[in-house]
Amino acid sequence: MTQGDPRPPPLQHGCDSWWHWSRRHKSPEVLLYARTALFHPNWSHGTAAVRGSRQLNGGVHYWEVQVSQRLFGTAVMFGVCTASARLHANAFVSLVGEDIHGWGLSHKGLVWHGGQGRRYTDPFRENRATTVGVLFDGEAGTLGFYKDAQWLGVAFTGLDTITEPLYPVISSTAAKTKLTLGVTRRAWAGLQDRARHTLLAALPPNPRLLLHALPLPPALRHYLEDDLPPSDTKILPVSAAPPPRHS
Amino acid sequence: MASNVPSVPSEGLNGPNSMYIKLIAADGHEFIVKRNLAYYAKTVKDMLESGPVQVKEDEPSVVHLKKIPSNALIVVCSYFAYKHIYINANTMIPDFPIALRDSLDVFMAADFLRC
């Protein structure tokens, strides 16, 4: 089957993206704490999913999901979906990609969209922890996956033609599975985005009141507020030093 | 401006398809940049191509940016060059640092120029 291509994680030259699993857009069978999603905490009689809190369209995004050792069952899935995709089912299904509203990779090594599955990579070894990386390129319209730092290739194309908002999504049919969000990165969206980052990195924590005091038109202030990290995170300024080499 | 500044041959600047165009900052500093690089700023492209007045063949292509100070415009021009070199690059892309003292001006300039 497909051999992975080892390469360093993408978007080294991008910036951190401040999104997390959404408390509002999830199955009741998903519990969230910090960046971890716990699926079916007692026992499972269906499929549960949770969506990311920000839409992806137009940008290039990369995120990693650390899968705990408890990996088994019908489908543990990673991918993207629109707001129309359902996030809960009372049956064990490959939920992400069961219809046209999602595009997903299941731990069985199949990729799903529009209810059609096809072989993409080897099935994951069950009951072995792993890290799945998802690379969404909203400009080229592609979605591809990494597994333990191995690039597995482009799984889907044509995503740049989707006009509805697209969100990261994970789903699981198996009880007590834990999926933890790791790095979340995105590409720079232009010079204004980079200047915003420099400005925000210089502000003290919780700067919303300070931003209101700046003499900016509301649209620009909203644009600044849009990239504020969660209150416990400090933005690291972009440095003039060359990036470290990867061995 | 100073009289010992070398002048760019006018053939490079004249006409609607010249290789170079001139961007003039609020404080009068003039920046001569390649047209294809300056077009990374959508506003510059729109001003020169769809503006009410079309440039004649023997006139220089000039954009007056009356609200952008030169400390911001020089960063914008550097960004055009940076973007052109590293767009579609697979090599390690260095960061594009922006000095804090310029960042608010660059932020406003990039908003106006749409880049």
Side-chain angles (χ1 to χ4, degrees):
Chain A
M1 251 308 77
T2 328
Q3 286 300 305
D5 165 21
R7 48 170 86 167
L11 295 183
Q12 299 284 296
H13 53 270
C15 57
D16 288 319
S17 182
W18 312 119
W19 62 268
H20 49 86
W21 300 126
S22 169
R23 294 191 176 277
R24 283 178 47 205
H25 301 287
K26 66 177 184 69
S27 155
E29 279 288 291
V30 176
L31 292 187
L32 297 176
Y33 51 100
R35 288 164 82 76
T36 297
L38 174 64
F39 291 77
H40 313 285
N42 298 308
W43 54 85
S44 171
H45 30 237
T47 316
V50 58
R51 224 169 73 191
S53 57
R54 287 189 151 247
Q55 68 179 72
L56 303 167
N57 304 57
V60 182
H61 291 258
Y62 174 74
W63 62 96
E64 288 183 348
V65 181
Q66 291 145 10
V67 187
S68 79
Q69 216 171 308
R70 228 178 131 77
L71 176 63
F72 63 98
T74 305
V76 175
M77 300 194 77
F78 318 84
V80 301
C81 69
T82 69
S84 309
R86 62 175 179 159
L87 298 173
H88 185 88
N90 292 321
F92 301 118
V93 293
S94 299
L95 195 62
V96 182
E98 60 167 357
D99 54 22
I100 57 164
H101 302 299
W103 295 256
L105 164 65
S106 97
H107 79 288
K108 301 278 198 205
L110 304 174
V111 289
W112 290 87
H113 173 64
Q116 302 285 313
R118 68 185 147 83
R119 173 68 48 198
Y120 167 74
T121 187
D122 293 334
F124 296 9
R125 285 275 299 270
E126 290 205 335
N127 296 313
R128 176 174 277 208
T130 183
T131 297
V132 173
V134 187
L135 180 61
F136 171 83
D137 187 336
E139 290 159 13
T142 60
L143 183 68
F145 300 92
Y146 286 72
K147 183 178 185 300
D148 295 323
Q150 306 267 328
W151 169 240
L152 301 175
V154 170
F156 299 105
T157 57
L159 285 154
D160 52 330
T161 61
I162 307 296
T163 49
E164 303 105 321
L166 287 168
Y167 301 88
V169 68
I170 44 173
S171 75
S172 174
T173 54
K176 301 189 171 74
T177 38
K178 274 202 317 200
L179 300 179
T180 303
L181 188 58
V183 297
T184 49
R185 303 279 292 173
R186 63 178 178 85
W188 293 111
L191 182 59
Q192 189 179 18
D193 188 19
R194 296 168 185 265
R196 167 172 61 176
H197 188 271
T198 303
L199 278 170
L200 293 180
L203 295 176
N206 296 314
R208 283 179 194 270
L209 285 178
L210 183 58
L211 285 178
H212 272 265
L214 285 178
L216 286 173
L220 288 182
R221 194 177 64 242
H222 290 144
Y223 182 76
L224 284 179
E225 288 173 346
D226 209 40
D227 203 39
L228 282 176
S231 50
D232 55 350
T233 317
K234 182 90 184 85
I235 310 177
L236 298 173
V238 152
S239 69
R245 292 198 158 276
H246 290 271
S247 53
Chain B
M1 295 282 98
S3 56
N4 57 351
V5 172
S7 57
V8 171
S10 56
E11 304 87 62
L13 272 176
N14 284 358
N17 298 312
S18 58
M19 183 182 271
Y20 292 90
I21 66 168
K22 188 186 284 193
L23 304 174
I24 304 185
D27 45 11
H29 274 279
E30 300 183 347
F31 296 84
I32 295 171
V33 294
K34 283 195 172 171
R35 183 184 291 265
N36 61 334
L37 266 55
Y39 276 12
Y40 284 128
K42 298 189 185 69
T43 303
V44 170
K45 182 172 200 283
D46 288 347
M47 280 171 146
L48 286 175
E49 301 214 319
S50 340
V53 178
Q54 290 305 304
V55 175
K56 297 200 189 60
E57 279 302 331
D58 56 350
E59 283 177 356
S61 295
V62 177
V63 180
H64 290 270
L65 297 167
K66 299 196 181 73
K67 293 201 179 157
I68 301 182
S70 55
N71 64 308
L73 192 49
I74 198 169
V75 173
V76 171
C77 292
S78 305
Y79 177 73
F80 294 153
Y82 168 88
K83 180 164 178 168
H84 194 69
I85 294 172
Y86 292 108
I87 201 166
N88 298 328
N90 287 324
T91 55
M92 292 288 252
I93 301 175
D95 289 329
F96 183 82
I98 301 170
L100 183 58
R101 67 175 181 275
D102 298 325
S103 57
L104 186 58
D105 292 326
V106 172
F107 177 70
M108 309 286 281
D111 182 61
F112 175 76
L113 293 171
R114 287 180 290 151
C115 64

